[in-house]
Amino acid sequence: MNRLNGKVAIVTGASSGIGRATAKLFASEGAKLVVAARRQAELDSLVAEIAAAGGAAVALAGDVRSEDYAKALVGLAVARFGKLDIAFNNAGTLGEGGASTQVSEQGWNDTLATNLNSAFFGAKHQIPEIGKQGGGSIIFTSTFVGYSFAFPGTAAYAASKSALIGLTQALAAEFGPRGVRVNAILPGAVDTAMYRDMNDTAESQSFVTGLHALKRVATPEEIARSVLYLASDDSSFVTGTAALVDGGASITRS
Ligand SMILES: NC(=O)c1ccc[n+]([C@@H]2O[C@H](COP(=O)([O-])OP(=O)(O)OC[C@H]3O[C@@H](n4cnc5c(N)ncnc54)[C@H](OP(=O)(O)O)[C@@H]3O)[C@@H](O)[C@H]2O)c1
């Protein structure tokens, strides 16, 4: 409890799945939150849930592909809560799948804009405010896909998510001297809307489950606890890492 007392955090992709679970955990640990995604109603219900549990959160709906939205989220954190310490840049999309030779220019660009450009624009506006506090923590949601595992038909997703690791390392090196830590979290499969969209048959779910040493997929709350570690002072000497939280998918061949 209280591991984020006095901290102010932005969480993107907070309307569902990993982002929503992380926002609730951060709030329960004492952070004041700006929560972000496109769906206003889902954000409003999250804010109400956090308030009912005694926490503080404010929502701003928008599209993470827009740099203006990234800037507005930081502005709201400062206007409402006076500062920014933590950003979980988590919003993402599987994007256009299927045979890679058939992926459209728009589908490719859209996937990179949602998963990669958003992370850069977020960090670009978050870092100056976090730097004013003498440091803090930025976390990007990457994935095991394109890092320790490859699935056919995921070229844009894998490319955008593995590029986040390079972004993590470059920003960690550049802003470490100012106390800004930057890490990527690489979940294995997690039981969210995205997972269920991709694996809509019992056969597919059984295949994906079997890829993990633990022979199950994660809950969003399990990933949230690892994000909390990276956000809090418990990880004060951790920066520039690609942190696998993958139930052993990367070491499993059976
Ligand atoms: N589930 C998995 O197995 C898994 C594994 C590894 C990594 N990940 C990553 O985990 C992150 C969260 O995904 P999830 O599994 O929790 O799925 P999810 O429940 O579908 O959540 C995706 C979130 O991203 C937001 N989002 C998507 N496009 C957006 C846009 N253009 N602007 C603003 N927000 C946008 C969605 O909100 P709105 O629709 O309301 O905008 C939603 O809150 C993603 O980056 C995903 O790639 C997932």
Side-chain angles (χ1 to χ4, degrees), residues 13 15-16 18 38-39 63-64 90 92 141-142 157 161 188 190 192:
S15 58
S16 63
I18 295 167
R38 290 165 299 185
R39 287 171 292 168
D63 191 322
V64 293
N90 162 75
T141 305
S142 178
Y157 184 71
K161 289 292 189 177
V190 189
T192 66

Side-chain angles (χ1 to χ4, degrees), residues 12-20 36-40 42-43 62-65 69 88-94 110 114-115 141-145 157 161 164 185-197 199 220:
T12 74
S15 58
S16 63
I18 295 167
R20 191 177 185 98
R38 290 165 299 185
R39 287 171 292 168
Q40 182 81 59
E42 276 77 359
L43 293 180
D63 191 322
V64 293
R65 289 170 291 187
Y69 183 49
F88 181 35
N89 295 297
N90 162 75
T93 181
L94 277 173
D110 185 65
T114 304
N115 294 347
T141 305
S142 178
T143 168
F144 72 138
V145 177
Y157 184 71
K161 289 292 189 177
L164 285 175
I185 192 158
L186 280 60
V190 189
D191 188 9
T192 66
M194 180 182 287
Y195 165 77
R196 277 174 254 129
D197 282 352
N199 303 287

Side-chain angles (χ1 to χ4, degrees), residues 34-66:
V34 173
V35 292
R38 290 165 299 185
R39 287 171 292 168
Q40 182 81 59
E42 276 77 359
L43 293 180
D44 289 345
S45 76
L46 173 63
V47 167
E49 257 185 77
I50 289 172
V58 59
L60 181 63
D63 191 322
V64 293
R65 289 170 291 187
S66 150

Side-chain angles (χ1 to χ4, degrees), residues 166-178:
L167 179 66
T168 296
Q169 294 178 356
L171 294 177
E174 188 171 346
F175 297 103
R178 290 169 59 185

Side-chain angles (χ1 to χ4, degrees), residues 76-91:
L76 181 58
V78 174
R80 193 61 74 91
F81 300 125
K83 60 172 185 163
L84 181 67
D85 304 289
I86 296 161
F88 181 35
N89 295 297
N90 162 75

